[in-house]
Structures are given as C-alpha cells and as structure tokens.
C-alpha cells in the first residue's frame, strides 16, 4: 500500500495548479456556469462583432464628415507609400492588433480614403503585428537556449512579413498588382451582375447594414451638435476606441470558447507537413481572431523545444492568412459603392497574404530565407542580447520614424 | 600442438575472409537498425512532447500576451550587458528550459546549439 504523501510534499503540486494561468470568461466571474455560460459567451461574441461592424461604419461616416470631398487633397502627403507603410507598422505596433488597423483602414476607404494611401497601411499592419510575438519571446531571456528557440520562432514571422513587403510593395507601386486583383474579385462579389455569389454577398450586406444602422445613427446623433470637421474626427476617435475594445474582447472570449477546438486542430495537424501547418495556422487565427495571439502561442511551444522552427514556420504563415477574415467581416458594414471599396481594401489584405505565401513559401530559395534569417538573428541574440534589442527598436521604432521624417523632410 | 593445427590451408583464408565479411555485414545491418530505432525513438519522444505541450494550450493561450514587466527586465539586462556587468547576474542558464520539457535533441544526439535550421 502506498503511503499518503505529506502535506508539505503535496503543496508544490497544489501551488503549481493554482498558479497555472487559466482562461476565464468575464461572465464566469459574474456567477454563470455550464451551458448558460457557453450561451452568454457566444451571445457576447455576436454582440461584439455587431459593435465592430457598426464602429467600422461610423469610421466611414466620420471620415466623410472630417474631409468633406477633399480626402485625396488632404491625404496627398501620404501618397508616398513608405509613409503609409510606416503608419501601418506604427499603428499596429502600438495597438498590437493588425485586425484593428485593417478594420479601421477598411472603414476609411469606404469613407473616401484613396486606395493608394490605404494599401501600404494594410501592408504595414502585417509588419507591425509581428512585434507582439517578438516582445513575448523577450520574456524567455533568462534561459539562453529557450530564448534562442523562442526568439527564432518569433522573428521567423518578422523576416517572412518583411520579405513579403519588400516583394509586393514595389510590385504594387509599379503595377498596382494587389489593387487589380482585389478589384477583380470585389467586382464579382458586389456587382449587380455578379451572379449567385454577388447576390448572397449583397444580401448579407443589406441585412447587416439594416441591423447596424440604428446603433451607428445613435452614435452619430450623440455627436451631431459638434460642427464639422471636428464632428468627423470625434466620430473616428470614438469608433477606433470601440474597435480596439471589441477586438480585444472578441479575442479574449474566443480564447475561452475555442481552446478545446484549437487543441483538436493542433493534435490533428501534427506530423502532417507544411500545407496542413499553414491551414491549421489560418484556422487557429480565425478561431481566436488574432494573428498576434496565434503567433505568440508559437513562442512557448518552440521555446520549450517541443516544436522545431521548421514546424512553427508554416503555422505562422497561416496566421497571416487567417487574420484577414476580420477585415472581410468589417467590409459588411457598408452597402453600394462604399461596400465595393471596403471590400477591395479587405481583399487587398487577403490577396497580399495569399500571394506572399504562394511566392515565398512556394519558391524553395525564398522559403529558406525567413528561417535562416531568424536562426542567424537568434544565435546572435542568444549570445549578445543587444542584438535582440537593436532588432526590436530598429525595425519597429527607429525605421518607421526615420522613414517618415526622411520622407517629410526630403 | 598437433600437425593438423599447424597446417595453414588456402581455403581457411577464404573461409575467414567470408566469415569476416559476413560479420561486417551483420554489424552494418545491426548498426543501421539501431540508428533507425534511435531515430524512431527520438521522433516518438518528440511527438509525445508535442502532444504534452498542446495539452497545456490553455496555459499558453493565457500567456500569449506581452508582459511589459518582462520587456522592461529584458532591456535592463541589455543595459547590464552593454555596461559589461553581465557575468550571469541575470540568472541566465544554458539549460533546455525552466518550465518546459528537456530538448529532445539534448538526450538523443547531444544537442544542437547554436540553433540551425533543421532539415526536416
């Protein structure tokens, strides 16, 4: 017969269990449990998506009120794509949410922001979002090998997205590649003669618009006493704050609701090769509505040594694709010609990430660059932490500032 | 010792050579089998570790956010390093992790730091 372990012997296990972070819904703290908790959690997510779409709609109206019909003139300074790119990097790095940046941009495009300004912002959001998992990996610095692996898993995303922008921003500037592709598909989805798909898309848009109009009108009514263009600016600020809050809330709720399904996706994807890795990364990101969350998740998995850099690399790329769903949802905030432009902006994000995956991961000599770059940087950073600091401050702070000031001055 | 034992016949040489060749072949096959078994064992351990890490997904998801105190600590360590005050003051270790499982490669193939892009 086994002797019972002493209280002292059992204490560490109990403490460990207590200290293990757990995902808790805010409604659980209010006393809900079981089936009722599940239902209220899902209702909260639906309500948050409703507020997100409404807020995107308010941004479009606010932008119109703020700029009148002068959007192109007012944003002439930002027609330099490097400025737009760095605005996207900085905004996403600050909010730690590419979904927020792309949703706001979709709203602004519907309100009249030229696509030539918006597209570099969307591309910049892809770079800015890589900051989150890089910052998460810095927490591993006290263990050299864990930090080496975790930092490599984080910066493989940085390298991939930087290379993607280096390839596709010049192509966009020279040929309008992404805009052409997105316009082609948006035309099929929103034109009156676009067939069944356009009819379904338009129908959903009409229903969503009808549902969100009362709240959007309510928000606009509360600021109607403010004269233009200040009213428009206030509407934009309120809507951006709402989007930030609800995207954060949706992310928190979906983590609670989706953890079981996410486990199943991971277990099923293991040992199945890179295409499944890309698919599971995209699926996981759609589930939690945040590429920052899903790529940050890779840091401890790789840092522990359980997953290799090669195994987390396709998952990270898939996260880029999965995160484009938020902008597509946001495009439902509009109807008519506004919906057409909003959809183009959202499809630019999707086509950019799909093309980047096909080109960079599809071509063997390009496919090797992100893991090699990340490995090289992680080896340097593990020996001298200053390299990691220079990378973080250089790519996400100094480079945007230098490029913005350089472009403005020269 | 008898004369029979002293006598050295050419066919004996051939037999010995054949026997040695046979033994070398068996040895090569055994080594190949051992290497294959080690590889399979390593892969099996890796898969087990992966499943265990995935079972901790809730914990990892809860931790998948930036902790600014850790970022601050990192930059403080960088400052220590730049000023030449490193000397392991930060409690840095070279082990395979503080809260995760040991790196599979460390037991099976002697470890692989510095990191290299694995060929799989």
């Amino acid at each position: 017969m086994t002797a019972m372990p002493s209280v002292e012997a059992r204490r560490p296990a109990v403490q460990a269990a207590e200290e293990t972070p757990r995902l808790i819904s805010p409604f659980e703290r209010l006393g809900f449990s079981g089936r009722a908790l599940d239902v209220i959690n899902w209702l909260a997510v639906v309500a948050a998506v409703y507020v997100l779409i409404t807020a995107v709609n308010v941004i479009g109206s606010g932008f119109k009120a703020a700029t009148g019909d002068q959007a192109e003139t007012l944003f002439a300074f930002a027609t330099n794509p490097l400025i737009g790119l760095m605005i996207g990097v900085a905004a996403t790095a600050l909010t730690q949410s590419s979904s927020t940046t792309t949703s706001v941009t979709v709203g602004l495009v519907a309100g009249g922001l030229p696509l030539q300004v918006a597209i570099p912002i969307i591309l910049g959001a892809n770079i800015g979002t890589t900051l989150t998992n890089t910052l998460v990996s810095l927490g591993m610095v006290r263990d050299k090998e864990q930090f080496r692996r975790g930092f490599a898993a984080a910066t493989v995303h940085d390298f991939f997205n930087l290379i993607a922008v280096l390839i596709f921003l010049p192509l966009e500037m020279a040929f309008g590649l992404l805009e052409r592709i997105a316009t082609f598909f948006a035309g099929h989805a929103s034109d009156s003669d676009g067939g069944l798909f356009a009819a379904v898309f338009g129908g959903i848009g009409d229903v969503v618009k009808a549902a969100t109009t009362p709240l959007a009108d309510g928000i606009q009514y509360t600021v109607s006493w403010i004269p233009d263009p200040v009213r428009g600016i206030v509407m934009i600020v309120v809507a951006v704050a709402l989007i930030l809050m609800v995207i954060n809330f949706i992310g928190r709720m979906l983590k609670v609701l989706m953890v079981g399904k996410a486990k199943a996706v991971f277990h099923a994807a293991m040992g199945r090769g890179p295409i499944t890795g890309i698919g599971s990364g995209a699926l996981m990101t759609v589930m939690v509505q945040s590429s920052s969350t899903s790529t940050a998740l890779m840091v401890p998995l790789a840092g522990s040594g359980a997953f290799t850099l090669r195994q987390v690399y396709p998952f990270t790329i898939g996260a880029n694709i999965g995160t484009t769903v938020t902008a597509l949802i946001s495009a439902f905030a509009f109807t008519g010609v506004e919906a057409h432009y909003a959809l183009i902006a959202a499809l630019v994000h999707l086509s950019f990430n799909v093309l980047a995956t096909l080109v960079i991961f599809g071509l063997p000599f390009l496919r090797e660059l992100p893991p090699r770059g990340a490995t090289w940087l992680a080896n340097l950073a593990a020996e001298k932490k200053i390299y990691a600091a220079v990378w973080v401050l250089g790519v996400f702070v100094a480079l945007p500032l230098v490029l913005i000031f350089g472009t403005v001055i020269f | 010792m008898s004369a029979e034992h002293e006598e050295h016949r050419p066919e004996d040489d051939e037999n010995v050579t054949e026997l040695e060749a046979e033994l070398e072949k068996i040895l090569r096959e055994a080594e190949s089998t051992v290497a294959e078994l080690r590889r399979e064992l390593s892969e099996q351990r890796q898969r087990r570790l992966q499943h265990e890490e995935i079972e901790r997904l809730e914990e990892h998801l809860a931790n998948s956010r930036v902790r600014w105190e850790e970022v601050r600590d990192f930059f403080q360590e960088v400052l220590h390093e730049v000023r030449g005050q490193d000397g392991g003051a930060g409690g840095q270790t070279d082990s395979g992790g503080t809260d995760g499982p040991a790196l599979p490669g460390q037991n099976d193939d002697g470890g692989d730091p510095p990191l290299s892009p694995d060929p799989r």
Side-chain angles (χ1 to χ4, degrees):
Chain A
M1 195 170 159
T2 312
M4 277 286 285
S6 68
V7 173
E8 284 303 310
R10 279 182 289 154
R11 185 162 292 159
V14 172
Q15 276 177 347
E18 283 172 353
E19 286 164 7
T20 301
R22 200 169 74 84
L23 297 167
I24 300 171
S25 157
F27 300 105
E28 196 175 337
R29 292 200 177 95
L30 294 175
F32 288 95
S33 62
R35 185 78 184 151
L37 181 64
D38 279 349
V39 170
I40 201 158
N41 280 343
W42 277 113
L43 286 175
V45 170
V46 172
V49 171
Y50 171 76
V51 175
L52 167 71
I53 294 173
T54 306
V56 172
N57 184 293
V58 171
I59 281 185
S61 306
F63 191 75
K64 274 184 189 164
T67 61
D69 291 326
Q70 306 296 313
E72 288 203 28
T73 314
L74 288 170
F75 280 83
F77 78 96
T79 48
N80 184 326
L82 287 180
I83 292 208
L85 185 76
M86 290 307 137
I87 289 171
V89 173
T92 309
L94 280 172
T95 59
Q96 286 183 43
S97 167
S98 62
S99 300
T100 299
T101 306
T102 52
S103 297
V104 169
T105 308
V106 164
L108 294 176
V109 167
L113 182 73
L115 279 165
Q116 290 79 4
V117 177
I119 290 173
I121 295 175
I122 291 169
L123 268 56
N126 252 49
I127 297 176
T129 196
T130 65
L131 175 65
T132 304
N133 63 349
T134 306
L135 290 179
V136 168
S137 73
L138 300 184
M140 294 177 160
V141 72
R142 288 184 181 270
D143 187 300
K144 190 174 175 179
E145 289 313 313
Q146 203 176 23
F147 177 61
R148 192 195 302 272
R149 294 188 294 262
F151 193 66
T155 52
V156 75
H157 194 207
D158 302 7
F159 277 98
F160 183 90
N161 286 0
L162 282 169
I163 292 168
V165 168
L166 282 174
I167 293 171
F168 286 99
L169 185 61
L171 287 174
E172 180 59 29
M173 288 161 66
F175 309 110
L177 177 74
L178 299 171
E179 187 181 337
R180 283 169 193 269
I181 293 170
T183 304
F184 172 79
F185 285 108
H188 279 76
S190 58
D191 281 0
S192 56
D193 57 349
L196 181 65
F197 183 69
V200 171
F201 192 85
I204 295 171
D206 288 341
V207 170
V208 171
K209 178 75 178 173
T212 54
T213 296
L215 181 58
D217 286 350
I219 293 170
Q220 290 181 49
Y221 178 75
T222 55
V223 294
S224 58
W225 55 275
I226 304 170
D228 285 341
V230 179
R231 182 176 66 92
I233 294 167
V234 170
M235 281 166 66
I236 292 172
V237 170
V238 169
V240 169
L242 272 177
I243 289 173
L244 253 176
M245 280 194 297
V246 293
I247 282 184
N248 190 293
F249 178 76
I250 291 168
R252 279 178 59 195
M253 296 304 294
L254 289 178
K255 276 186 196 177
V256 175
L257 289 164
M258 288 297 186
V259 65
K261 287 196 169 55
K263 270 186 194 179
V265 167
F266 270 117
H267 282 304
M270 265 174 45
R272 285 181 184 265
I275 304 297
T276 309
I278 292 171
S280 61
L283 190 59
M284 174 77 190
T285 306
V286 172
M287 282 179 183
V288 297
Q289 282 291 297
S290 167
S291 60
S292 299
T293 297
S294 51
T295 55
L297 186 62
M298 291 298 102
V299 173
L301 294 181
S304 69
F307 287 83
T308 65
L309 182 60
R310 296 276 166 185
Q311 288 166 330
V312 301
Y313 175 35
F315 184 93
T316 301
I317 299 169
N320 280 342
I321 297 171
T323 197
T324 62
V325 168
T326 315
L328 287 167
I329 292 171
S330 301
F332 280 110
F334 305 96
T335 51
V337 71
E338 290 178 351
H340 179 71
Y341 283 104
L343 189 58
I344 290 175
L347 287 173
V348 162
H349 196 208
L350 175 65
S351 54
F352 166 59
N353 282 303
V354 170
L355 281 178
T357 302
L358 289 173
V359 171
I360 300 174
F361 204 77
L363 298 174
F365 70 97
L366 284 177
R367 186 194 309 153
E368 290 306 307
L369 291 180
R372 281 186 191 280
T375 301
W376 166 76
L377 184 64
N379 283 334
L380 284 176
E383 299 308 319
K384 294 275 183 190
K385 291 182 275 294
I386 183 72
Y387 288 108
V390 167
W391 177 261
V392 171
L393 295 176
V395 172
F396 300 102
V397 182
L399 185 65
L401 289 178
V402 167
L403 281 174
I404 288 174
F405 282 113
T407 313
V408 169
I409 291 167
F410 300 108
Chain B
M1 204 175 264
S2 70
E4 282 172 6
H5 283 104
E6 294 287 324
E7 192 179 350
H8 186 81
R9 292 175 298 187
E11 59 264 35
D12 286 347
D13 277 347
E14 281 175 21
N15 287 341
V16 168
T17 309
E18 276 175 19
L19 182 64
E20 282 178 357
E22 186 69 21
L23 287 170
E24 274 179 11
K25 187 182 164 204
I26 291 168
L27 193 59
R28 275 198 302 275
E29 284 172 358
E31 281 170 348
S32 168
T33 305
V34 167
E36 181 68 15
L37 285 172
R38 279 194 195 283
R39 193 183 60 77
E40 278 186 26
L41 184 64
S42 172
E43 283 179 3
Q44 180 60 34
R45 281 180 179 157
Q46 182 83 359
R47 275 196 292 273
R48 182 172 50 78
L49 277 173
Q50 290 176 347
H51 282 294
E52 284 171 6
E53 282 298 311
I54 291 167
E55 284 305 312
R56 291 174 62 199
L57 199 67
E58 184 175 4
E59 181 189 337
H60 291 318
L61 269 173
N63 286 328
S64 61
R65 61 186 176 84
V66 177
R67 287 196 166 85
W68 291 107
E69 64 274 22
E70 289 181 353
V71 176
R72 189 197 58 209
D73 290 348
F74 169 80
F75 280 103
Q76 280 177 346
E77 288 218 17
V78 171
L79 284 175
H80 277 290
E81 187 183 87
V82 170
R83 290 171 186 157
Q85 296 170 4
D86 191 18
Q92 189 182 75
T93 66
D94 287 352
S95 69
T98 50
D99 60 352
L103 181 68
Q106 287 176 337
N107 292 330
D108 299 322
D109 56 20
D112 60 351
L115 193 68
S116 58
D118 52 297
R120 273 171 291 178

